[in-house]
Amino acid sequence: MLHLRCGSDILDRLTTAGLPGQAAEWSDPLCDGPLEHWPDEPARREARAPWIASRYGRELAEVRSGLEAADGWLSRAPDEDEVVLWFEHDLFDQSILAYLLTRLEGLAPERTSLICLGSHPRMPHFQGLGQLSAEQLAALFPTRQRVTAARFATARRGWAALAGADPRRIQVLVTEGTPELPSLAMALQRHLAEFPCVRNGLGLTEQLALQGVLAGADRPRDIFEVVQRFEDAPWLGDTMLFAKLRLLTQGPAPLLEPCGEAVPAVSDPGFLATRFELTIEGHLVMGGKADWYQLCSPSQWHGGVLLEGPEPAWRWDDRANLLVGGGTRRVS
């Protein structure tokens, strides 16, 4: 039996719980950065490893090694009696789940099962499986459900939408719902909220981060905690947020600036000690008087969609909860 988890947080506890088989991590952060319909795992690694290394300030060889090791576990699926996926309801988990189910449909279609939680009776403020003890995880094991053909099909549609160049396919899935994988539609809607807002060009994460700075959270760790508190289903790792903060300090009209210091790389220990404040442009954008994409022309991948300034192809209308064409802007 093979247990796959999109992180290392519960691996030791699954072993402590006495569950049969081996537990392994598969955690390529597919919710961040470029996606495409790769024909196989080597093609995915070739595309993703350089981006991850550059984005998060990691050594390319280290990233490649980690991705290869995770894919090595996945390649064992046809030889296992059962593959058990341990996931929760947030965007990080659901994007990986959609991808893995798409792969496992061809590797172990009759022997894949799923544990996916959005809440837990002992955790009033449930955020993830990492909060649970070995005993609580063991109690979940008998509740696992076999992944049916309908669930595989829903995952396939979700992955095709995420990795495709037309995000309207995501909007369709969100509108229709995904009852076979109930958390997927909610996660996809959160993905859409990362598209540039019609009011100021910020994705929801950038919006929450800058609100945190305005409220006095000026160091990266404090900003991260603010963002986590305002998320219904926290999904962003701290390093992922730090990379977004650094991007906001770049371009011809940065929205953030260090308080008298240079901005170290995200991987530099000094990054956590950096204090940030909004620039004049940052205040204008937060007030809806200017647009980040028109000021700075950032270039960002959102799944299979490349968004570039000064006018991105797609925007998010946060009042209507609707994806709209990039020419749609609403001035406050």
Side-chain angles (χ1 to χ4, degrees):
M1 182 176 289
L2 175 62
H3 303 268
L4 288 179
R5 168 68 174 156
C6 54
S8 60
D9 52 350
I10 66 170
L11 299 185
D12 289 345
R13 273 168 275 172
L14 293 178
T15 301
T16 302
L19 300 185
Q22 293 180 287
E25 176 181 359
W26 200 103
S27 57
D28 183 343
L30 297 174
C31 58
D32 199 12
L35 305 180
E36 58 183 275
H37 297 300
W38 301 290
D40 52 32
E41 264 57 62
R44 191 197 89 255
R45 295 195 299 268
E46 187 63 26
R48 291 283 297 171
W51 187 88
I52 292 171
S54 174
R55 176 76 161 179
Y56 304 137
R58 296 172 56 189
E59 292 293 331
L60 179 57
E62 173 200 0
V63 175
R64 279 185 170 146
S65 176
L67 294 178
E68 287 174 3
D71 287 341
W73 286 103
L74 181 61
S75 69
R76 294 173 54 167
D79 301 320
E80 299 290 340
D81 292 329
E82 185 177 356
V83 179
V84 186
L85 304 176
W86 295 77
F87 281 77
E88 55 234 19
H89 58 311
D90 61 78
L91 174 58
F92 183 95
D93 285 47
Q94 292 295 306
S95 58
I96 293 176
L97 178 62
Y99 178 79
L100 288 182
L101 287 180
T102 300
R103 291 303 194 202
L104 287 166
E105 185 177 20
L107 295 172
E110 303 296 329
R111 290 169 285 108
T112 299
S113 56
L114 174 64
I115 294 169
C116 185
L117 260 64
S119 62
H120 192 277
R122 296 293 182 88
M123 298 289 165
H125 303 290
F126 179 79
Q127 294 187 353
L129 295 171
Q131 295 173 285
L132 305 183
S133 67
E135 293 75 16
Q136 289 169 325
L137 292 171
L140 288 176
F141 183 60
T143 71
R144 67 194 188 281
Q145 298 182 338
R146 188 173 74 83
V147 179
T148 61
R151 287 180 176 143
F152 278 123
T154 297
R156 200 182 330 118
R157 287 186 68 199
W159 175 250
L162 276 172
D166 187 347
R168 288 174 295 188
R169 297 175 69 181
I170 303 176
Q171 184 78 67
V172 169
L173 271 177
V174 169
T175 302
E176 292 179 351
T178 55
E180 296 84 4
L181 296 171
S183 297
L184 181 59
M186 178 193 72
L188 291 175
Q189 174 140 344
R190 182 62 188 83
H191 173 79
L192 290 177
E194 287 296 282
F195 278 73
C197 180
V198 294
R199 291 181 290 108
N200 58 14
L202 294 175
L204 180 55
T205 297
E206 290 98 359
Q207 185 85 25
L208 293 175
L210 294 184
Q211 285 176 352
V213 176
L214 283 173
D218 58 357
R219 296 187 190 275
R221 181 65 62 186
D222 298 328
I223 299 169
F224 174 71
E225 290 178 359
V226 169
V227 172
Q228 293 292 88
R229 285 201 302 270
F230 280 94
E231 289 280 6
D232 291 332
W235 60 279
L236 201 70
D238 55 1
T239 302
M240 298 165 72
L241 176 68
F242 299 161
K244 287 180 177 287
L245 293 178
R246 200 167 194 279
L247 182 62
L248 291 170
T249 70
Q250 299 172 349
L255 306 190
L256 276 181
E257 62 184 359
C259 299
E261 311 153 8
V263 183
V266 170
S267 58
D268 189 316
F271 183 84
L272 291 178
T274 305
R275 296 174 57 244
F276 292 99
E277 61 185 1
L278 265 67
T279 62
I280 292 174
E281 291 80 6
H283 283 281
L284 289 173
V285 168
M286 287 299 288
K289 306 301 181 185
D291 184 271
W292 182 38
Y293 268 77
Q294 294 182 351
L295 285 175
C296 295
S297 292
S299 177
Q300 296 193 99
W301 282 96
H302 288 275
V305 181
L306 177 60
L307 299 172
E308 297 182 288
E311 190 52 71
W314 300 96
R315 287 182 180 265
W316 177 245
D317 188 329
D318 57 334
R319 294 180 184 171
N321 282 332
L322 188 66
L323 192 72
V324 297
T328 304
R329 275 206 67 216
R330 182 174 66 239
V331 179
S332 297

